[in-house]
Structure formats: C-alpha cells, structure tokens
C-alpha cells in the first residue's frame, strides 16, 4: 500500500474508497469453490490480474477461492494472515446453517415454501458460483423432503439494491402504512408495542 497525500479528504472517505475497491475485487475476481476449500488443491492455481484505480495491477491467486469459502466455513478466517486471533471463542455458523436455522424458526407450514424460494441479494450475491455452492450445501444439510431452490436476479443493479427496492414497495402499500407508529409511541410503549400493532 502506498499512501498518497490527498488534501481536504477525510479518513472516513479513504476507508470508504478502500471498501469500494475490496467490494469490487470480491464481486469481479472472487469465486466460491465448488467444494470446501483445500490448501493443497489450490496451491498451483493460476494468478488473476486486477487493476487498481491508480493503474497498478495486483495478482490474486488461491485467495480468490479461500476468502469466499469463509462464508461456508467461518473457522477458515483464522488461517488468513493477520486474522489468527479473530473470534477464537465465538462459534460462528456458515451461511447454509444460518439459512436453515432461520427457516426452522418459522412456522412449520411454510418451511417447504421457504426452502424453495431462497433469494440472494446484495453485493456479495454477485460473487461467481455463490448461488450454486449455497444450493449444493443446503441440499446436503436440509431435510430430505425439502426442495431447495436458490434464486438471484440476473440484473446486477437489481440484485445489489433488491432489499431497498422491496422495502420501498412495502412502505408505499396502504396496508403497511396502517402498521406505522411514531417515535413517541415507541418511547411510551417500548419494543413490545410492535407485537401489538403488527400481530
């Protein structure tokens, strides 16, 4: 990393720019491996070039497979240099297990429908092979009767902002507006007021 002097810019802007670059690398170069990451299997993988905004070209090797696999095997994060002590005592769950746990917390009658309509949204959903790997892992861990189907929009902009798009549609519905409550109502009744207003 070469620090350049840009007058009248803040640390927060610099951090934002670094995150934008990291996000672009994640979406353009990274690829979820078909099977759990194995160091020896990816030791001879060819390097992939990525051009930074300043024109400098970096080469990314096996890390483009290892980093996405952290979503499926969180303990892998401790093998990344500088992250050895990260979350030693915190039991993180992989993405497939979080999806299954979320579905299992829902009513039994709708679980089958939820397994067949899992929607990927956000920037990470643009990562290559993420949809296929998640579907494969869910098929292995889900109940036998469940038909697992993971979907994501083909349009990159829609995929990235689908949560906001859905939220704006929901907020514009007349039936949803009846469920709104003010800040003063929340302060008076607390969080439990949500259950009374939206049973």
């Amino acid at each position: 990393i070469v620090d350049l002097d840009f007058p009248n810019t803040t640390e927060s802007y610099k951090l934002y720019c670094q995150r934008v670059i990291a996000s672009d690398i994640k979406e353009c170069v990274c690829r979820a491996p078909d099977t759990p990451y194995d160091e020896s299997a990816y030791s001879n993988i060819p390097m992939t070039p990525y051009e930074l905004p300043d024109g400098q070209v970096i080469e990314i090797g096996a890390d483009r497979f290892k980093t996405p696999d952290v979503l499926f095997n969180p303990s892998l994060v401790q093998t990344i240099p500088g992250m050895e002590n990260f979350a030693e005592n915190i039991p993180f769950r992989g993405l497939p297990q979080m999806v299954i746990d979320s579905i299992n917390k829902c009513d039994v009658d709708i679980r089958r429908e939820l397994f067949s309509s899992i929607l990927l949204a956000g920037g990470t959903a643009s990562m290559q092979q993420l949809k296929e790997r998640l579907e494969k892992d869910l098929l292995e861990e889900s109940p036998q009767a469940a038909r697992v189907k993971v979907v994501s929009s083909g349009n990159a902009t829609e995929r990235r902002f689908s949560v906001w798009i859905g939220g704006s549609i929901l907020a514009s519905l007349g039936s949803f507006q009846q469920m709104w409550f003010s800040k003063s109502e929340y302060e008076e009744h607390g969080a439990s007021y949500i259950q009374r207003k939206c049973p």
Side-chain angles (χ1 to χ4, degrees), residues 100-119:
I100 290 170
D101 289 350
S102 297
I103 291 174
N104 286 338
K105 289 180 181 177
C106 296
D107 191 70
V108 177
D109 298 335
I110 63 167
R111 288 181 191 168
R112 180 176 281 206
E113 288 177 47
L114 293 175
F115 270 113
S116 63
S117 55
I118 297 165
L119 176 67

Side-chain angles (χ1 to χ4, degrees), residues 33-39 41-42 69 72-73 76 133 136-137:
D34 300 330
T35 56
Y37 181 80
D38 178 22
E39 198 80 44
Y42 290 92
D69 202 47
F72 300 91
N73 180 11
L76 199 60
R133 170 72 186 276
K136 177 182 168 289
D137 284 15

Side-chain angles (χ1 to χ4, degrees), residues 135-179:
E135 197 166 74
K136 177 182 168 289
D137 284 15
L138 284 172
L139 278 167
E140 292 172 4
E141 296 183 33
S142 62
Q144 294 294 326
R147 273 189 63 242
V148 175
K149 185 172 182 188
V150 179
V151 294
S152 64
S153 172
N155 182 333
T157 305
E158 188 178 315
R159 184 168 50 235
R160 181 179 290 233
F161 299 110
S162 58
V163 174
W164 289 101
I165 294 167
S168 68
I169 292 169
L170 183 64
S172 66
L173 295 174
S175 57
F176 183 72
Q177 290 172 6
Q178 296 167 2
M179 299 178 192

Side-chain angles (χ1 to χ4, degrees), residues 9-16 18:
T9 56
T10 62
E11 276 300 311
S12 63
Y13 181 72
K14 179 182 173 184
L15 182 62
Y16 166 76
Q18 289 172 345

Side-chain angles (χ1 to χ4, degrees), residues 45 120 173:
I45 204 85
L120 287 178
L173 295 174

Side-chain angles (χ1 to χ4, degrees), residues 116-136:
S116 63
S117 55
I118 297 165
L119 176 67
L120 287 178
T124 303
S126 300
M127 193 183 306
Q128 299 171 45
Q129 295 296 115
L130 180 70
K131 176 178 161 285
E132 290 79 5
R133 170 72 186 276
L134 179 59
E135 197 166 74
K136 177 182 168 289

Side-chain angles (χ1 to χ4, degrees), residues 19-82:
R19 287 182 176 167
V20 167
I21 293 167
S23 181
D24 190 53
I25 291 171
K26 172 189 70 177
E27 294 166 22
C28 297
V29 180
C30 289
R31 181 181 188 271
D34 300 330
T35 56
Y37 181 80
D38 178 22
E39 198 80 44
S40 60
Y42 290 92
S43 58
N44 295 324
I45 204 85
M47 304 292 266
T48 297
Y50 179 84
E51 186 176 348
L52 296 169
D54 64 356
Q56 179 185 353
V57 176
I58 58 172
E59 299 279 333
I60 304 168
D63 288 338
R64 72 178 191 267
F65 295 95
K66 184 179 189 177
T67 306
D69 202 47
V70 170
L71 290 170
F72 300 91
N73 180 11
S75 63
L76 199 60
V77 77
Q78 294 172 337
T79 64
I80 297 172

